[in-house]
Amino acid sequence: MLQHGRVWRGVLSARRARPYVEETMRIRKFSLPLGVLAASAMALSACVVGGTDGQYRGAGFEECIEHPLECNSGPRIDGGDIVWAMDAQWSGWSEAHADSRSTYQRQAMGGIYPTSGIFNQVGEWEFNDGVFADRAELIGEDPMRVRYELNPDATWGDGVNINVDDFIFNWYARAGDSSLCDEGCNSPAPAFFSSIDSIEADGDHGVVITLVDGFIDPEWEFQEVLSHPAHQAEEHGFTDWKSDPEHMGEAMQHFLTTVPEWTAGPYRITDAVEGDFVMMEPNPEWAGSAEVTLDSVTFQVIDDFDSLITELRQGSVHGATPANFDPDAIVQLESMDEVRYALGDGPSWEHIDLNVQNEFLQDLALRQAIFTAINVDTLIERTHGLVMDVDDVKKRTNHTFSVDSEYHVDHISETGQGSGDYEAAREILAEAGYTWDHNDRLLTEEGELVEVTFSVMNGNANRQAVGEFSQHDLAQIGLGVSLVGYPSGDLADVLAEGNYDMIVYGWSATPAFTNYPIQHWHSTSGSNWGGLNNDDLDELLGTIKQTTDMDEAAARVNASVEAVVAEAYVLPLFDTPSLIMAHESLINVRDNWASSQRGMSNIAQWGILDTEADQE
């Protein structure tokens, strides 16, 4: 049993029964009325795939195919303690810092984070009414000006209302500007925030962000404009964060390394250990529209799937949305009558990255040969192809748009990358001056033996398989590859420190698409882990947000993808199928393919089924 100084009461804890009311989520949805917004809505709707695309495997979530927003709903008891498993560790406590930002970190903090909103299971944007009173409003286009109306009851969980200073703090943290914050900040995606001219209060609860002249962002509404409470930075001694970049950096390091003493979400943290567990109870100051019914929610890392299944069977864990699973797991789930599960589409996709700071991988020809030798079809067959029909696993041939998107263009196939063509890979190397010794080991033109490492996450069977089969493929062209394992909680550090030659990991996406290319490939981005520096690519990336036409923005993204493919920097593999499993007593738990938080995206609605009311 899982314990942290207490005994889990599981799903049996209850108080007064609550009648079922079909609630809207605490994040309300609206259509997009303005010209810029309408164009965004049309484009994003076109990107929507649907949770399972008709390829459903599971038990208990069948209703989600036709009713993705209402499935697994019902009356909730008042009370209950839930333990939700996470299959990987995380490091740090700041979404606004590239060294910490990850899917797992966001999931661990999802119950407290001041998110602007989410994309729901049908790809619609829903603003967070626990923080905002209304959707963001575009009030000017030249320069672009965006107005936010705060929920007057929204606080940081300590009685202090969210205000304009919190917007400014987030701006400084994310701008990537050393005049605002020193090296203590490391923005994961500075494009929008580096283009802010001013942030000012407007009325009692309004805030207006003004962008610099000429800057346009077609997806301005989806920006995360809050992250940490500015007043708590001052309470911890960083009083001059507005005027002193060093103080601002120290404040960010405090938030990065300190278990949050704040909350703007439906829960607040009562106990936590970074990368291990987070225990939460309802936030009494939560200002959202739907009422929390649970007594507590705990996120517990269990990175061994067999252990997770054991805990689920014993009732000490009540659900999970693991990224790593194998065929035996599905068989075990099929035998557990008290557990609902479903396998379908998810928000993530896997890829192999090369670190161009490596002395060998600086050479484009070698990178092209590596990607040409790796057989992606084999990787699919030996990973998710063991769990589901190979034809149902979506091979990735675009770094931004999945095959279901109307904006999808196959930029990979014609290059031969991912084909497993050893002969073509050897030809690339021979033309570039490489040779082989009498043991068929690859040598540079100067006669130096070429060897690289391939970093894989410990305990992740699929990524281990990707590493091993890639190692086999590359041996066929004489390249020596050593597999190096690392703990799941170290992924952010491995990437941030560039401590890899080759690595396989996943990116989690949403229907919004203009931020990701800039975040991943621009030479100044803190998330351009492998150090690619291409002036022409930077120029292309700089044009993506300089239009309000989503079709044009997508065309510019595709031009950037084509340039990245030419650099042989990232090899896309496949969309990662998602697995959700939950005890049959859990209500309002449903997967969300459009959010990196997956089934946790509507945590405020979670509850325990009131079986007596359900029978009535």
Side-chain angles (χ1 to χ4, degrees):
M1 298 290 286
L2 299 170
Q3 297 184 15
H4 297 291
R6 59 180 291 185
V7 177
W8 299 117
R9 287 175 286 162
V11 298
L12 301 179
S13 172
R15 294 195 298 273
R16 175 178 53 85
R18 181 177 303 281
Y20 170 57
V21 178
E22 189 162 357
E23 303 170 298
T24 58
M25 298 176 71
R26 292 202 166 104
I27 303 174
R28 295 178 185 159
K29 63 185 179 185
F30 291 86
S31 59
L32 303 178
L34 299 179
V36 173
L37 302 176
S40 300
M42 290 174 62
L44 294 173
S45 296
C47 296
V48 172
V49 183
T52 60
D53 200 25
Q55 304 298 335
Y56 174 83
R57 180 179 181 182
F61 283 106
E62 293 87 351
E63 186 185 2
C64 294
I65 298 175
E66 297 295 331
H67 304 285
L69 300 180
E70 299 86 20
C71 60
N72 190 33
S73 58
R76 297 177 292 168
I77 64 172
D78 196 353
D81 301 287
I82 298 302
V83 181
W84 192 266
M86 297 171 56
D87 66 330
Q89 299 173 329
W90 75 95
S91 60
W93 300 98
S94 178
E95 171 77 6
H97 201 288
D99 292 356
S100 171
R101 178 175 170 141
S102 72
T103 295
Y104 304 108
Q105 178 264 340
R106 187 63 184 272
Q107 290 176 354
M109 294 180 63
I112 70 168
Y113 197 73
T115 183
S116 296
I118 64 165
F119 287 98
N120 65 20
Q121 288 88 341
V122 295
E124 296 173 336
W125 176 252
E126 301 180 346
F127 83 88
N128 179 2
D129 76 355
V131 173
F132 301 99
D134 204 344
R135 60 177 294 173
E137 180 185 4
L138 186 67
I139 61 173
E141 295 188 6
D142 188 19
M144 180 175 278
R145 301 176 71 232
V146 184
R147 188 180 188 279
Y148 301 84
E149 182 70 17
L150 287 164
N151 183 326
D153 297 322
T155 74
W156 288 106
D158 58 0
V160 178
N161 287 93
I162 298 173
N163 60 57
V164 66
D165 278 353
D166 303 313
F167 284 74
I168 295 172
F169 187 93
N170 184 68
W171 166 25
Y172 286 13
R174 295 179 185 264
D177 185 342
S178 60
S179 70
L180 301 178
C181 183
D182 68 8
E183 63 274 7
C185 292
N186 185 10
S187 175
F192 178 86
F193 300 96
S194 64
S195 300
I196 291 177
D197 181 66
S198 66
I199 297 180
E200 299 173 313
D202 184 40
D204 291 338
H205 306 291
V207 175
V208 174
I209 296 179
T210 301
L211 285 302
V212 297
D213 289 340
F215 180 81
I216 300 173
D217 188 341
E219 294 176 341
W220 53 268
E221 187 172 14
F222 315 135
Q223 300 296 330
E224 294 291 6
V225 293
L226 293 165
S227 54
H228 300 290
H231 75 279
Q232 287 195 11
E234 295 170 1
E235 289 172 358
H236 285 281
F238 313 113
T239 54
D240 295 328
W241 64 266
K242 275 189 181 181
S243 57
D244 186 341
E246 184 177 355
H247 257 214
M248 180 63 204
E250 291 172 349
M252 271 303 295
Q253 286 297 306
H254 166 78
F255 287 123
L256 177 67
T257 58
T258 305
V259 175
E261 302 165 341
W262 52 267
T263 177
Y267 289 89
R268 64 185 179 187
I269 295 175
T270 58
D271 193 12
V273 172
E274 179 184 308
D276 187 7
F277 71 92
V278 175
M279 298 174 62
M280 298 182 295
E281 65 182 9
N283 173 16
E285 296 184 20
W286 166 239
S289 58
E291 189 175 356
V292 176
T293 61
L294 292 171
D295 289 326
S296 72
V297 175
T298 296
F299 291 130
Q300 172 69 56
V301 173
I302 305 176
D303 55 12
D304 176 74
F305 196 86
D306 289 337
S307 298
L308 195 161
I309 291 295
T310 298
E311 297 288 353
L312 188 64
R313 190 185 300 276
Q314 293 177 348
S316 50
V317 163
H318 308 115
T321 50
N324 178 41
F325 50 89
D326 55 42
D328 290 339
I330 304 300
V331 173
Q332 293 182 66
L333 287 172
E334 289 173 343
S335 67
M336 297 169 65
D337 294 337
E338 72 281 8
V339 174
R340 295 185 176 101
Y341 78 96
L343 183 65
D345 290 346
S348 302
W349 58 282
E350 297 285 292
H351 49 93
I352 295 172
D353 287 18
L354 302 181
N355 188 342
V356 299
Q357 304 305 307
N358 173 276
E359 60 174 323
F360 298 121
L361 297 177
Q362 291 176 4
D363 181 47
L364 175 60
L366 177 60
R367 300 200 303 270
Q368 290 173 332
I370 288 173
F371 282 174
T372 301
I374 293 174
N375 191 321
V376 173
D377 288 336
T378 297
L379 301 183
I380 291 174
E381 291 171 4
R382 304 308 299 174
T383 55
H384 295 295
L386 299 175
V387 180
M388 56 197 299
D389 193 307
V390 170
D391 293 336
D392 292 337
V393 181
K394 295 174 182 176
K395 186 176 181 178
R396 195 86 183 197
T397 56
N398 188 298
H399 299 61
T400 303
F401 301 113
S402 182
V403 67
D404 299 290
S405 170
E406 70 164 329
Y407 296 132
H408 175 265
V409 177
D410 182 350
H411 289 291
I412 295 293
S413 297
E414 66 178 12
T415 69
Q417 295 182 21
S419 66
D421 189 334
Y422 306 143
E423 183 177 348
R426 282 179 173 268
E427 289 178 0
I428 293 171
L429 293 169
E431 290 177 3
Y434 288 86
T435 58
W436 290 263
D437 67 11
H438 64 284
N439 290 318
D440 197 39
R441 295 184 302 177
L442 185 65
L443 305 175
T444 66
E445 193 170 3
E446 294 75 24
E448 186 177 0
L449 182 65
V450 182
E451 296 178 310
V452 297
T453 62
F454 195 126
S455 297
V456 295
M457 182 183 291
N458 294 337
N460 190 307
N462 287 329
R463 291 177 185 172
Q464 186 73 31
V466 168
E468 291 173 354
F469 282 95
S470 297
Q471 181 185 47
H472 172 269
D473 286 336
L474 296 175
Q476 309 313 304
I477 64 170
L479 178 60
V481 177
S482 300
L483 299 184
V484 178
Y486 62 89
S488 60
D490 290 352
L491 174 60
D493 291 337
V494 170
L495 293 173
E497 296 168 6
N499 189 22
Y500 66 93
D501 297 338
M502 301 177 64
I503 190 170
V504 56
Y505 66 105
W507 280 334
S508 183
T510 72
F513 60 81
T514 63
N515 270 340
Y516 296 112
I518 301 168
Q519 176 183 341
H520 295 146
W521 309 321
H522 198 282
S523 61
T524 63
S525 171
S527 300
N528 179 10
W529 311 117
L532 182 65
N533 191 340
N534 183 309
D535 292 341
D536 292 335
L537 175 59
D538 282 353
E539 185 174 349
L540 283 172
L541 294 170
T543 68
I544 292 173
K545 289 182 176 291
Q546 298 306 303
T547 179
T548 58
D549 185 320
M550 296 305 292
D551 291 343
E552 177 59 26
R556 296 176 184 184
V557 167
N558 270 314
S560 301
V561 170
E562 185 176 16
V564 170
V565 171
E567 287 282 356
Y569 183 51
V570 176
L571 178 64
L573 302 179
F574 44 77
D575 289 352
T576 307
S578 65
L579 174 64
I580 184 171
M581 44 193 179
H583 193 276
E584 62 183 357
S585 62
L586 297 191
I587 287 298
N588 293 330
V589 174
R590 55 186 77 95
D591 212 348
N592 185 353
W593 66 270
S595 169
S596 61
Q597 294 188 57
R598 299 280 305 282
M600 294 89 98
S601 63
N602 68 328
I603 187 175
Q605 290 185 304
W606 284 8
I608 306 301
L609 176 66
D610 183 349
T611 55
E612 294 183 5
D614 196 39
Q615 291 172 359
E616 296 173 3

